[in-house]
């Protein structure tokens, strides 16, 4: 059986920890009245002050340091002067690049008091990711990850976005394999010790159909229903898996106690 590259895993832990700590730092600022540009500034400065770079900035022309996707925005929302208001939900997605390696993670946030339906969607999205993570081990099929997510959220009445997926990551931001968040069990490639990739389910309250806005980046639900997402970067070990993007402060899902 292939053994993990210990040095690679150590560098991925460093990159993942910086990304996670960036979201930890951001948490107390995510509240009604702030702009998504303000959140972007915090992410940029925190990563830079800790020896890294924000990988999304200028990546394929993306203009900002993080993605801020609110309400019916599925992913790749561009920070702007948009002011967050009470009742909104938002995903903030950061990728730290340090020592030649990438750590990629995202979390959902409540903006003030949110609806029960918003809380339920966010909770189901988080649980679906963690259920998928929990089964990772060498020898399993990649399709089991997507099937686990899809089976869980569809039982809850939600849908899985099919236009985007998780991805291999390391010294390169996006590389094979593609990690679908839907599919059939016992399908796809076989996982091997040492593989590193993201799991980042995007779950819609309504139908899974999305459209891309004129900025070429922002993806929104076609039916304008809410969408939620969480993301971790993980590595397959000889015994199971490691999460590189864990929060030091155990800020796993909202409401966050800071």
């Amino acid at each position: 059986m292939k053994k993990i590259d210990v040095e690679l895993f150590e560098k991925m832990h460093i990159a993942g920890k910086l990304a996670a700590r960036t979201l930890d730092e951001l948490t107390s600022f995510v509240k009604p009245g702030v702009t998504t540009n303000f959140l972007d500034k915090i992410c940029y400065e925190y990563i830079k002050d800790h020896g890294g770079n924000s990988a999304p900035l200028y990546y394929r022309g993306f203009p900002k340091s993080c993605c801020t996707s609110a309400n019916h925005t599925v992913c790749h929302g561009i920070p702007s002067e948009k002011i967050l208001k009470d009742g909104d939900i938002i995903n903030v997605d950061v990728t730290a690049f340090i020592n030649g390696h990438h750590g990629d993670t995202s979390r959902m946030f409540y903006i003030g008091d949110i609806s029960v339906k918003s809380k339920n969607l966010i909770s189901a999205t988080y649980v679906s990711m963690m259920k998928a993570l929990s089964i990772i081990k060498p020898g399993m099929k990649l399709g089991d990850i997507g099937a686990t997510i899809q089976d869980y959220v569809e039982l809850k009445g939600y849908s899985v976005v099919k236009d985007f997926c998780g991805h291999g990551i390391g010294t390169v931001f996006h590389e094979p394999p593609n990690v679908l968040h839907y599919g059939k069990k016992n399908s796809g490639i076989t996982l091997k010790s040492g593989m590193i990739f993201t799991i980042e389910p995007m779950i819609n309250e309504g139908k899974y159909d999305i459209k891309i806005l004129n900025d070429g980046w922002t993806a929104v639900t076609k039916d304008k229903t809410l969408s939620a997402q969480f993301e971790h970067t993980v590595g397959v070990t000889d015994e199971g898996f490691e999460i590189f993007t864990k929060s030091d402060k155990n800020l796993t899902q909202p409401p966050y106690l800071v």
Side-chain angles (χ1 to χ4, degrees):
M1 180 180 293
K2 179 184 176 183
K3 298 296 182 181
I4 67 169
D5 183 331
V6 174
E7 183 179 358
L8 170 61
F9 268 51
E10 287 177 351
K11 289 181 177 178
M12 290 301 294
H13 272 294
I14 292 169
K17 193 169 289 291
L18 178 54
R21 286 175 173 169
T22 301
L23 291 181
D24 289 351
E25 174 72 13
L26 188 72
T27 302
S28 62
F29 297 98
V30 186
K31 55 190 177 183
V34 304
T35 67
T36 51
N37 265 342
F38 179 71
L39 301 182
D40 181 74
K41 182 173 181 284
I42 292 171
C43 291
Y44 172 80
E45 291 181 349
Y46 186 87
I47 292 173
K48 184 179 179 183
D49 289 348
H50 291 81
N53 292 298
S54 294
L57 186 60
Y58 307 132
Y59 178 75
R60 296 180 179 174
F62 190 78
K64 297 289 182 173
S65 297
C66 67
C67 299
T68 51
S69 303
N71 300 323
H72 73 290
T73 301
V74 174
C75 63
H76 303 156
I78 301 174
S80 67
E81 286 304 298
K82 172 185 172 61
I83 297 174
L84 298 174
K85 63 182 187 300
D86 192 71
D88 286 343
I89 62 172
I90 190 169
N91 175 273
V92 181
D93 188 340
V94 301
T95 305
F97 181 68
I98 185 169
N99 298 329
H101 293 73
H102 295 82
D104 192 359
T105 188
S106 80
R107 293 179 206 157
M108 294 298 299
F109 295 86
Y110 298 171
I111 309 301
D113 293 321
I114 70 167
S115 67
V116 171
K117 72 172 185 175
S118 296
K119 291 178 181 179
N120 290 341
L121 173 65
I122 290 171
S123 176
T125 304
Y126 177 77
V127 171
S128 76
M129 176 183 69
M130 297 308 294
K131 280 181 173 290
L133 281 166
S134 71
I135 65 171
I136 292 175
K137 61 182 180 181
M140 67 171 281
K141 297 291 188 178
L142 189 63
D144 291 356
I145 291 174
T148 297
I149 292 168
Q150 183 177 19
D151 289 350
Y152 179 76
V153 300
E154 287 185 353
L155 280 174
K156 297 284 187 180
Y158 304 126
S159 62
V160 181
V161 172
K162 298 183 177 181
D163 295 74
F164 301 100
C165 60
H167 52 89
I169 189 171
T171 56
V172 177
F173 194 170
H174 295 89
E175 61 184 0
N178 288 335
V179 182
L180 304 181
H181 303 117
Y182 63 96
K184 296 181 179 180
K185 291 182 178 178
N186 202 34
S187 66
I189 65 171
T190 300
L191 297 190
K192 297 179 180 179
S193 182
M195 292 176 69
I196 298 172
F197 49 83
T198 69
I199 297 180
E200 47 183 297
M202 300 162 217
I203 308 302
N204 292 349
E205 177 189 18
K207 296 179 179 180
Y208 63 76
D209 307 272
I210 65 102
K211 65 177 181 179
I212 307 297
L213 300 186
N214 291 336
D215 60 27
W217 284 101
T218 307
V220 299
T221 57
K222 270 191 177 180
D223 58 12
K224 297 187 178 179
T225 56
L226 296 173
S227 187
Q229 180 190 18
F230 284 89
E231 177 182 14
H232 272 313
T233 299
V234 299
V236 183
T237 67
D238 298 335
E239 295 80 27
F241 66 95
E242 291 180 13
I243 301 175
F244 298 121
T245 45
K246 276 185 176 178
S247 166
D248 289 339
K249 299 180 179 180
N250 199 33
L251 303 178
T252 57
Q253 61 176 317
Y256 303 112
L257 302 178
V258 294

